[in-house]
Amino acid sequence: MSLWLLNHFSTFTLAVVVVGGTVLLAVGGSVLLRRRHPSLAGGEHNDMVGVTWGCSAPTTGSSSPS
């Protein structure tokens, strides 16, 4: 099956399908979780999220969301 995909679709097309599918799955899961458990979306970030963000921000060059 994987050889058929590689022989019939361009690399760009396969990358768009894989990346796009992953993004759609993540966004869909986030929307579903926010609809089923709205109390989780309204609260403050817990301490572990802050620590994780603090460790990953210098690596990725992003700034704090607050």
Side-chain angles (χ1 to χ4, degrees):
M1 179 70 175
S2 61
L3 285 178
W4 183 87
L5 287 173
L6 293 172
N7 288 330
H8 289 84
F9 293 103
S10 69
T11 303
F12 178 76
T13 303
L14 291 174
V16 167
V17 168
V18 169
V19 172
T22 303
V23 169
L24 285 176
L25 185 65
V27 170
S30 178
V31 168
L32 181 66
L33 185 64
R34 285 178 178 263
R35 287 187 182 184
R36 292 182 64 91
H37 304 286
S39 62
L40 295 176
E44 289 291 322
H45 295 301
N46 63 25
D47 291 336
M48 191 59 205
V49 172
V51 170
T52 303
W53 190 262
C55 292
S56 66
T59 306
T60 60
S62 58
S63 60
S64 176
S66 50

